[in-house]
Amino acid sequence: MRSRRSCLAVPGSNPRFLEKAQTLPADEVFLDLEDSVAPLAKEEARKNIVTALREGDWGGKVRVVRVNDLTTQWTYRDVIEVVEGAGEFLDCVMLPKVQDPTQVMWLDTLLTQIERTMGFEVGRIGIEAQIENARGLVNADAIAGSSPRLETLVFGPADFMASINMRTLVVGEQPPGYTEGDAYHYILMRLLMAARTHDLQVIDGPYLQIKDVEGYRRVARRAAALGFDGKWVLHPLQVEAANEVFSPAQEDYDHAELILEAYEYYTTVERRGAVMLGDEMIDEASRKMALVVAAKGRAAGLRRTSTFTPDS
């Protein structure tokens, strides 16, 4: 599973930003051909992205290109030119404004045709599906199960808020007058359930007040608490915040690794099912929860600071 704590958006029309993105500690960088690129600049942006993928040093980052949505005239050329030009340097293609599973299937088919034509490994390039309107959310389960290439569901809050007539202009914040609970809770949980049903990751969308880092942290913590894997970042200031919020605390990571090691020892060497780790009883359910925290900690590059010693 790829680490996607911080997913940095970079306009493909700006070579300087494409170069700068390579130096930032984001887990994923997606090179954009959609909303951040003007219509007359899209053709040149494709060339910029191919060059950046082929010649850049991305340092182990997840490399993604967001193409235009399928209601536009640009999408098929986006996919063909980028994948034919730099497919061997590309990890995923992000398809925005996905409304039903047939759109993901279309992209899967086109990717397969290009891979076969170019001699690439068939199926290696993944897909990220961005859910940005009410129809997409209603169809989230079907979308999540639409392709074996699919790795991630991504929430697109700005277009989504417009699609349901939410009464606010501040993306990610609670709409004025909504004083009880969280207006985004159902949306986030709906995407989370669809993603986890199909063993996918799920990513929260951007926070547009880019200089309000504390506001970003607050909104990111909401998604992280539910179980989201990461969040978009639009500015270098947000990268560190995302990496911190979506990484386990060192204490939690150490504890998870201890649970896994202790459970393995007691169930295999001593052949017991429910056992004690200090004053804590651990069992198979504990192991499953620990696996999640340990996997996220390892993906974040954490190192253990404690070791398990069996009781004498």
Side-chain angles (χ1 to χ4, degrees):
M1 185 176 292
R2 310 181 199 270
S3 182
R4 287 182 165 97
R5 297 169 301 171
S6 50
C7 301
L8 176 64
V10 186
S13 55
N14 191 318
R16 183 172 65 86
F17 285 4
L18 292 171
E19 184 174 356
K20 175 67 174 177
Q22 299 171 42
T23 69
L24 298 175
D27 286 346
E28 172 180 301
V29 174
F30 74 86
L31 314 180
D32 193 25
L33 287 168
E34 200 213 10
D35 286 350
S36 68
V37 178
L40 293 179
K42 291 186 186 292
E43 186 173 344
E44 186 65 26
R46 292 176 191 146
K47 296 181 175 66
N48 293 340
I49 286 174
V50 169
T51 299
L53 287 171
R54 295 191 67 89
E55 300 179 4
D57 180 5
W58 297 96
K61 296 175 175 60
V62 182
R63 300 156 298 179
V64 179
V65 172
R66 181 169 73 163
V67 298
N68 287 277
D69 80 86
L70 275 174
T71 66
T72 73
Q73 70 270 35
W74 300 296
T75 317
Y76 80 105
R77 294 303 314 169
D78 289 344
V79 179
I80 292 170
E81 291 187 24
V82 169
V83 178
E84 285 190 352
E88 65 267 47
F89 303 97
L90 181 64
D91 295 309
C92 291
V93 173
M94 184 189 302
L95 186 64
K97 298 177 177 63
V98 176
Q99 301 186 63
D100 64 65
T102 63
Q103 296 175 319
V104 177
M105 295 174 188
W106 172 88
L107 179 55
D108 188 328
T109 300
L110 183 55
L111 287 171
T112 298
Q113 292 174 341
I114 298 169
E115 288 166 337
R116 288 176 175 164
T117 298
M118 300 299 295
F120 299 153
E121 177 186 347
V122 174
R124 187 193 64 79
I125 298 173
I127 294 174
E128 298 188 358
Q130 191 173 10
I131 308 300
E132 302 187 68
N133 61 25
R135 186 180 176 195
L137 187 67
V138 169
N139 289 329
D141 285 328
I143 291 168
S146 60
S147 167
R149 292 183 187 265
L150 198 61
E151 297 186 12
T152 308
L153 296 183
V154 182
F155 178 41
D159 282 280
F160 193 95
M161 291 157 62
S163 83
I164 63 171
N165 296 334
M166 186 178 282
R167 296 177 62 182
T168 181
L169 292 174
V170 183
V171 175
E173 293 289 359
Q174 301 301 312
Y178 198 93
T179 58
E180 300 294 332
D182 179 358
Y184 301 94
H185 182 75
Y186 169 76
I187 302 166
L188 296 177
M189 285 298 293
R190 187 73 183 79
L191 292 175
L192 181 65
M193 293 302 103
R196 296 297 188 247
T197 296
H198 296 276
D199 296 323
L200 306 180
Q201 291 183 310
V202 59
I203 305 300
D204 193 16
Y207 184 76
L208 271 58
Q209 312 302 310
I210 60 174
K211 294 186 178 180
D212 182 3
V213 180
E214 286 310 307
Y216 180 91
R217 288 179 187 275
R218 172 172 44 79
V219 174
R221 288 190 189 106
R222 173 185 65 191
L226 292 176
F228 272 58
D229 298 287
K231 185 173 176 63
W232 276 18
V233 293
L234 301 179
H235 190 276
L237 291 173
Q238 297 177 337
V239 175
E240 182 180 350
N243 288 343
E244 176 189 324
V245 169
F246 288 95
S247 296
Q250 182 68 50
E251 181 181 0
D252 293 337
Y253 171 66
D254 283 336
H255 187 55
E257 293 285 16
L258 285 175
I259 289 174
L260 295 176
E261 197 170 354
Y263 189 75
E264 174 71 13
Y265 172 82
Y266 287 122
T267 56
T268 57
V269 177
E270 299 193 6
R271 299 186 180 183
R272 288 188 278 161
V275 298
M276 298 298 294
L277 177 62
D279 295 330
E280 176 186 10
M281 189 188 81
I282 59 174
D283 57 12
E284 175 61 15
S286 307
R287 186 189 70 85
K288 291 176 181 176
M289 292 188 292
L291 276 173
V292 173
V293 176
K296 289 188 175 184
R298 293 167 191 167
L302 296 182
R303 297 292 182 265
R304 294 182 63 173
T305 62
S306 62
T307 57
F308 167 69
T309 302
D311 294 334
S312 56

